[in-house]
Amino acid sequence: MSDADTGVNDNGPEMVQINLRLSKAFLEDIDTTWEEQGFNSRSEFLRYAARDAVKHPEFSREGWKQIAASEHDLRSGSAELVSREDVVEMMDRVEDDK
């Protein structure tokens, strides 16, 4: 992550603290994810996730659900990996359904 992306640059925008309520199980999932993905902190990961959601609103909640379902299928052994081209085609279909 660059300093501009994480907000740690002294010359960057003023940071504002917010409160967020999450279930303990979800927070544990978030903590596992940010550590596995190499983020420096939970805050950095959540800023990145929020920024991505704002910058790419065309990627719908339905798209995220499909990714989660596919990952579950892969982890449970009931699905196989797909190519990049297959993923792009699936994303195009989701976009067409809007």
Side-chain angles (χ1 to χ4, degrees), residues 83-96:
S83 69
R84 179 189 181 283
E85 290 78 21
D86 290 341
V87 171
V88 169
E89 184 179 320
M90 286 185 270
M91 296 298 297
D92 288 342
R93 277 187 267 147
V94 168
E95 192 65 30
D96 291 341

Side-chain angles (χ1 to χ4, degrees), residues 8-98:
V8 295
N9 187 336
D10 289 338
N11 298 324
E14 178 184 356
M15 302 299 274
V16 177
Q17 183 174 341
I18 64 168
N19 293 318
L20 181 63
R21 290 178 175 258
L22 305 169
S23 71
K24 185 174 181 175
F26 185 44
L27 185 58
E28 289 170 357
D29 287 344
I30 288 171
D31 286 342
T32 299
T33 302
W34 74 259
E35 290 170 350
E36 288 176 352
Q37 296 295 318
F39 286 88
N40 294 318
S41 67
R42 180 191 294 159
S43 292
E44 180 186 31
F45 172 73
L46 291 172
R47 280 192 300 272
Y48 181 86
R51 187 179 302 109
D52 206 32
V54 169
K55 286 188 175 184
H56 304 285
E58 69 280 359
F59 194 68
S60 68
R61 185 177 189 151
E62 187 59 36
W64 286 112
K65 287 179 185 178
Q66 288 179 351
I67 287 173
S70 295
E71 184 162 328
H72 172 75
D73 290 345
L74 284 170
R75 290 181 182 196
S76 67
S78 62
E80 297 180 15
L81 289 174
V82 296
S83 69
R84 179 189 181 283
E85 290 78 21
D86 290 341
V87 171
V88 169
E89 184 179 320
M90 286 185 270
M91 296 298 297
D92 288 342
R93 277 187 267 147
V94 168
E95 192 65 30
D96 291 341
D97 290 342
K98 286 185 180 181

